[in-house]
Amino acid sequence: MYNCQQALIAHLEAGGFSDARTIAAYAGQLKEAVKLTQLIPALLPVYILGRPAAQEPYHQFDLLVITESQLLEKKTSKNLNLQLAAQVAAYLQTSYIWKPLSGAGVYELDREELDARLILQDARFTVIALGLKIYDRT
């Protein structure tokens, strides 16, 4: 689980998302708006569930794509967030296999399971969650 998350972070960093100030594991930042403001735009993976000991092990993450909303520019802000989420989704569609940070094997994204959900759209932040199902072939 942890190794998959770290490899996912490294894979996203290698994708060159210059619009994202932060690419790191989620650590409860949504509860502290002051901290969140310093991090965004951000890509934050959150572990949801998995079957690490199954015949075909997998892990599911929500990849939070977070940007700042502006009251007077709500339409523009939402579009910027959608653009960043779309860029990440497109990258993962074409770069759906990546190596672990150490050891053999690969992690493989189930592209058919990739989904996007709006989590939050308020006066300060826009949060879109990309649902990822990653097969652990390490």
Side-chain angles (χ1 to χ4, degrees):
M1 295 177 276
Y2 175 77
N3 292 337
C4 182
Q5 178 179 337
Q6 295 307 101
L8 173 61
I9 291 168
H11 184 59
L12 291 168
E13 287 172 342
F17 294 101
S18 58
D19 291 342
R21 182 182 299 168
T22 306
I23 302 175
Y26 178 72
Q29 293 95 331
L30 288 178
K31 294 180 181 179
E32 299 179 49
V34 173
K35 283 186 181 178
L36 188 58
T37 305
Q38 299 165 0
L39 301 174
I40 57 176
L43 302 175
L44 305 173
V46 180
Y47 189 81
I48 302 299
L49 63 90
R51 298 187 69 192
Q55 179 83 20
E56 190 172 25
Y58 68 86
H59 308 287
Q60 287 185 287
F61 290 87
D62 271 352
L63 180 60
L64 304 180
V65 180
I66 306 172
T67 60
E68 189 171 8
S69 297
Q70 300 294 326
L71 275 175
L72 298 177
E73 300 174 6
K74 181 77 80 176
K75 185 175 180 180
T76 302
S77 178
K78 187 172 181 183
N79 285 337
L80 289 176
N81 188 279
L82 289 175
Q83 287 175 357
L84 182 55
Q87 290 170 354
V88 172
Y91 171 69
L92 292 173
Q93 282 287 86
T94 59
S95 300
Y96 59 94
I97 296 175
W98 59 93
K99 293 188 178 284
L101 296 180
S102 63
V106 295
Y107 293 108
E108 181 179 354
L109 176 71
D110 184 340
R111 294 177 292 171
E112 293 295 321
E113 295 285 329
L114 178 65
D115 66 358
R117 301 176 309 285
L118 179 66
I119 301 296
L120 174 70
Q121 173 74 56
D122 69 8
R124 295 195 68 189
F125 307 108
T126 301
V127 181
I128 293 175
L130 296 177
L132 311 176
K133 182 176 183 180
I134 302 168
Y135 289 102
D136 187 342
R137 306 191 196 290
T138 60

